[in-house]
């Protein structure tokens, strides 16, 4: 629980810094995207911390490329 | 005491409440005293004005001389006692003026008299005209003697600058075993002359500024035209023009105000006390900045490599010079890393120590109440205090301090079991190593960074050290000094320039000037042939 | 501040490019890869390394010809040119995901390594965060600083390699290499498979870096990169040879960080022992280079995809995403092995070879149709503004950002 608060706090701090910094230099688009990514990252971090079933890209990739690599792996593994 | 004059700098509007009262007054003065108001034709008025301006300070001397018997043509000499050479003034200004006696019918027009004074009577080398009060006070306070004539608003400033100043001595901060024993003094002219004596080329040029609103300090730069990079010169001029501060008391002020990197502990401007070091750098295309009132001359642009070079590397043989350079480099690394490496090994990586040494160290640490990093931190801190104390103590007590520090604190602390002897060894060796770097400014960086590394080592061991070293590397490779990358020639790597870094190649191999410094003139002039072979070989 | 301070953060020399390429390739691969190859090819693993050599050239040639065609544009930009804006952005997006995953895996590698051998009691996330701090600093500072630091690290890495090779010579055993090629050439060929993905497919990062090489250095680029490849092959073969010779096939195939274990064996006169920490520091350096380049490429590609003027605001947010990603990426060591040696190759070959090849082919085909010359010249002013919106500005933006204001 403490970790979640810590993560959220850190995200807020960094978010504020980004907000101020880019606000000064008038770059709203960068700010928006940066905060967006920050949001995703924070959500992900909190999800991981709370052991929620967050999507795992490794599994995603494994799933996508299954048909290709399975035969290759079996060919390589044979005999070893 | 010294901070007050800084408050008046950078006249940004709207910040009036921050400025001191002195700055306010000073601004008033700016409009009145130093304005371009011309002098009055009446000597009496002038005298009254000067006394008003300077608050009737007792060291401003007024000497009036009557050139005619009837008392018409009057000459008034003004000077600051202590800033002029009395003998020269008496002999070459007052005496000749006394000898001028005009009978009533041969009075001269004031303007005629002015001209005659300049061309015939004053036997002084440098003589210039004064047209307004700003020039008047500038010259008066530089040590000139101002001669005013009744009836004309023009005055003459004669250079009889003198007064007691420190003579040319051996530089206190840069000792050399071999090499000239001259060090700079506090006068810009003396210093520039010393440099001229090393480089007797008409291409050695000088440009002068007066920086500091109240202090009016002469600052000048010297460079060899044709060797120095024009872009850097332009940049430097702009930066010097932009400096707005109440007073420049030392070159350190200039250094801080024009430096590239305001936050980095690593210096990007070097300061030297020796004319031969300056001359050497000028010959490589760098620029020297001389500030009146300090013997420390700045060198620009300065990169990391320069701080490991000592002038006498070139006076000794190349093999010993190479050896000493490597020692300097290694000492810097030791000074930076040793305490943190010790802490890292002892706390986290005990397996790295050979077993016998490990046993001894473990025995020493029995009963020591503090963990290793705290020991190291305390001892380092104590040592910094000692160092600062020794600098400030009058020399009579200085010896006592070293005895107290070394024996009492070191020995007793160990015997009391507060600190293990290994830590004392580490800290003292680090201290000695940190004195090796010839440039004090780099040593400062090591002193500060050592503590950060200590912190990193105490939390993360070698990994922490590696991380901080990476951070430092990134920082160092990023910095520039007046456009030149700080880690040249290590990165970007130019093998040809490496011959004057960790090694000092023999003079007869150094055929080219370091690249990018001397763009107009890449090949050094001294293409000496190889040393003569012995006859018969 | 003057115009000179920290001016061009977007120009690197060909030599620097080659050096950072070398360090990237070593990256995390030199730590984990040999054991995987040895697991497959046993004592003929070094032959696999040799066989993989030409693939390096192939892939480099691919990127170089793409770069010849679009000298000042990075992957994101010429993808748009070739496939049209939206399809190009979509492709760039998949690349962004690729680099995101790659970065998190690299971070995971170093975190595992440090957690296992150097700092067993430190929590993973602490190692991750401290490492990321340095990475973020590096990415902020721009490619020129990264390249210069890379030069210094390159020298350090070579120095350490030479030392460990010489200090291990006394423990070399040739028997470990027998029997040679006992199943014929098949084994070594199979051993090439992991190498293809890891690191060869990952070289696609170069597509973003190549346009940043100084113009006057471009002709030298091919030559320098070739030198780097040769050095890379030599290093790979040497490392594998030493691994087999000193640890033996079984040990080497089994331990997760083979080279580190090998370094533990350094023993000179009983005094210079347990200096594997030096090797660890080199790995930290190479992984640092790889990760910093990955993050740099990631940020730059994203910035180009979204048409932002600078990549800098994205760096810290991405790190936020990266740390948890790297912590959950593999569930355990077995999962790591299976994924990194099996699946990853396909994924990275797809992105490293297949997609760029497709781009090249389509560019050639359409080029021929459009311009007739089949090759895009120096981008005209219109493209320059796009370029300055993407490739150049991310670095040059560092000028107003990082300098304190002048007095």
């Amino acid at each position: 629980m403490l970790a979640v608060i810590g993560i959220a706090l850190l995200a807020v701090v960094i978010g504020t810094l980004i907000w101020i910094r880019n606000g000064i230099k008038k770059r709203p688009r960068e700010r928006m995207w940066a905060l967006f990514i920050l949001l995703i990252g924070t959500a992900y971090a909190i999800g991981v911390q709370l052991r929620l079933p967050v999507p795992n890209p490794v599994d995603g990739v494994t799933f996508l490329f299954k048909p290709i690599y399975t035969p290759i792996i079996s060919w390589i593994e044979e005999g070893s | 005491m010294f901070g007050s004059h800084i408050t008046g700098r950078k006249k940004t509007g709207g910040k009036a409440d921050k400025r001191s009262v002195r700055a306010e007054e000073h601004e008033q003065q700016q409009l009145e005293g130093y304005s371009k108001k011309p002098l009055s034709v009446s000597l009496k008025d002038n005298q009254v004005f000067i006394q008003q301006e300077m608050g009737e300070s007792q060291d401003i001397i007024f000497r009036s001389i009557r050139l005619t018997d009837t008392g018409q043509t009057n000459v008034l000499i003004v000077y600051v006692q202590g800033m002029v050479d009395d003998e020269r003034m008496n002999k070459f200004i007052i005496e000749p003026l006394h000898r001028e006696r005009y009978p009533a019918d041969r009075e001269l027009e004031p303007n005629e008299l002015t001209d005659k004074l300049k061309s015939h009577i004053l036997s002084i080398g440098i003589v210039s005209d004064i047209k307004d009060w700003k020039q008047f006070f500038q010259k008066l306070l530089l040590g000139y003697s101002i001669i005013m004539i009744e009836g004309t608003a023009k005055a003459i400033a004669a250079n009889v600058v003198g007064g007691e100043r420190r003579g040319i001595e051996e530089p206190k901060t840069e000792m050399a075993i071999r090499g000239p024993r001259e060090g700079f003094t506090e006068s810009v002219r003396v210093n520039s002359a010393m440099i001229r004596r090393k480089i007797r080329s008409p291409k050695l040029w000088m440009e002068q500024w007066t920086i500091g609103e109240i202090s009016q300090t002469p600052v000048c730069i010297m460079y060899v035209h044709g060797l120095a990079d024009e872009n850097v010169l332009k940049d430097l001029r702009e930066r010097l023009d932009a400096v707005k501060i109440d007073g420049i008391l030392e070159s350190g002020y200039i250094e801080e105000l024009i430096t590239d990197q305001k936050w980095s502990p690593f210096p990007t401007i070097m300061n030297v006390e020796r004319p031969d070091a300056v001359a050497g750098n000028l010959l490589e295309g760098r620029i020297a900045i001389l500030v009146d009132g300090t013997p420390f001359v700045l060198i620009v642009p300065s990169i990391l490599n320069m701080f490991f070079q000592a002038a006498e590397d070139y006076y000794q043989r190349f093999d010993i010079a190479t050896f000493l350079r490597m020692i300097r480099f290694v000492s810097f690394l030791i000074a930076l890393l040793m305490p943190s490496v010790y802490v890292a090994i002892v706390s986290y990586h005990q397996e790295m120590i050979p077993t016998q040494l490990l046993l001894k160290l473990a025995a020493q640490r029995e009963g020591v109440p503090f963990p290793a990093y705290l020991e190291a931190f305390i001892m380092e801190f104590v040592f910094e205090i000692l160092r600062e104390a020794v600098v400030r103590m009058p020399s009579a007590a200085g010896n006592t301090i070293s005895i107290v520090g070394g024996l009492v604190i070191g020995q007793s602390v160990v015997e009391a079991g507060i600190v293990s002897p290994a830590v004392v060894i580490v800290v003292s060796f680090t201290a000695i190593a940190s004195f090796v770097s010839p440039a004090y400014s780099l040593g400062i960086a090591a002193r500060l960074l050592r503590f950060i590394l200590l912190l990193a080592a105490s939390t993360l061991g070698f990994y922490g050290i590696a991380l901080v070293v990476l951070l430092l590397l990134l920082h160092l490779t990023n910095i520039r000094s007046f456009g030149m990358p700080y880690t040249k020639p290590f990165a970007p790597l130019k093998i040809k320039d490496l011959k004057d870094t960790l090694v000092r190649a023999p003079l007869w191999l150094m055929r080219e000037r370091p690249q990018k410094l001397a763009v107009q003139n890449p090949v050094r002039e001294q293409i000496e042939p190889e040393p003569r072979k012995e006859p018969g070989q | 501040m003057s115009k000179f301070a920290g001016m061009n953060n977007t120009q690197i020399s060909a030599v620097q490019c080659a050096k950072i390429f070398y360090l990237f390739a070593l990256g995390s691969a030199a730590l984990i890869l040999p054991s995987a190859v040895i697991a497959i090819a046993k004592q003929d693993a070094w032959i696999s390394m040799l066989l993989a050599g030409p693939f390096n050239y192939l892939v480099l040639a691919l990127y170089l010809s793409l770069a010849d065609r679009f000298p000042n544009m990075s992957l994101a930009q010429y993808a748009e040119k070739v496939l049209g804006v939206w399809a190009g952005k979509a492709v760039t997006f998949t690349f962004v995901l690729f680099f995101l995953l790659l970065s998190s895996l690299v971070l995971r590698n170093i975190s595992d390594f440090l957690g296992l051998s150097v700092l067993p009691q430190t929590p993973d996330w602490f190692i991750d965060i401290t490492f990321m701090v340095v990475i973020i600093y590096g990415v902020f500072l721009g490619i020129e600083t990264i390249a210069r630091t890379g030069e210094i690290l390159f020298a350090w890495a070579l120095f350490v390699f030479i030392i460990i090779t010489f200090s291990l010579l006394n423990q070399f055993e040739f028997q470990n290499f027998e029997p040679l090629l006992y199943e014929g050439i098949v084994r070594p060929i199979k051993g090439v498979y992991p190498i293809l993905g890891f690191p060869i497919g990952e070289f696609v990062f170069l597509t973003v870096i190549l346009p940043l090489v100084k113009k006057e250095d471009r002709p030298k680029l091919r030559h320098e990169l070739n030198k780097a490849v040769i050095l890379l092959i030599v290093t790979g073969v040497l490392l594998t040879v030493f691994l087999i010779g000193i640890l033996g096939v079984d040990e080497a195939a089994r331990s997760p960080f083979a080279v580190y274990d090998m370094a533990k064996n350094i023993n000179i006169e009983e005094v210079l022992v347990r200096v594997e920490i030096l090797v660890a520091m080199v790995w930290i350096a190479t992984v640092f280079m790889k990760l910093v380049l990955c993050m740099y490429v990631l940020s730059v590609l994203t910035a180009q995809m979204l048409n932002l003027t600078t990549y800098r605001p994205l760096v810290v947010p991405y790190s936020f995403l990266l740390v948890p990603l790297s912590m959950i990426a593999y569930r355990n060591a077995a999962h790591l092995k299976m994924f990194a040696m099996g699946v990853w190759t396909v994924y990275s070959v797809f992105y490293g070879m297949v997609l760029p090849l497709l781009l090249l082919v389509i560019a050639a085909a359409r080029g021929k149709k459009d311009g007739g010359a089949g090759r895009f010249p120096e981008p005209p002013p219109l493209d320059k503004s796009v370029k300055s919106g993407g490739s150049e500005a991310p670095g040059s933006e560092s000028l107003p950002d990082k300098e304190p204001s002048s007095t």
Side-chain angles (χ1 to χ4, degrees), chain C residues 224-298:
Chain C
E224 295 292 335
L225 283 174
N226 284 343
K227 284 203 285 196
V229 169
I230 294 180
L231 192 61
L232 191 60
I233 299 178
V234 166
T235 314
V237 172
L238 259 177
L239 272 181
T240 321
V241 160
F242 267 82
L243 270 179
I244 303 178
I246 294 182
L247 291 181
V249 175
D250 293 319
E251 261 310 310
R254 225 178 345 167
S255 76
F257 302 113
V259 184
Y260 186 68
D261 283 341
M262 179 175 81
K264 284 192 190 166
N265 285 330
I266 296 179
N267 186 335
I268 302 183
E269 302 297 326
E270 295 292 335
V271 174
L272 209 60
V273 278
R274 306 299 300 257
V275 286
E276 68 270 9
I277 201 73
L278 279 181
V279 174
M281 291 176 88
V282 173
W283 287 162
I284 294 177
T286 51
V287 170
F288 167 77
M289 281 308 291
K290 181 165 180 176
L291 189 54
V292 86
L293 283 168
C294 279
M295 281 228 70
Y296 181 75
V297 165
L298 175 66

Side-chain angles (χ1 to χ4, degrees), chain B residues 104-151:
Chain B
D105 56 340
R106 286 228 293 151
E107 269 180 26
L108 292 174
E109 285 297 321
N111 289 324
E112 266 182 41
L113 184 55
T114 315
D115 290 331
K116 185 161 185 220
L117 274 180
K118 279 208 308 210
S119 49
H120 287 100
I121 303 179
L122 290 179
S123 322
I124 299 288
I126 306 176
V127 162
S128 48
D129 287 328
I130 303 276
K131 294 194 196 57
D132 56 46
W133 285 113
K134 182 172 175 186
Q135 284 180 341
F136 181 91
F137 282 110
Q138 246 182 14
K139 288 279 188 281
L140 179 69
L141 292 168
L142 273 175
Y144 282 55
S145 191
I146 318 280
I147 302 151
M148 293 185 283
I149 301 164
E150 178 78 49

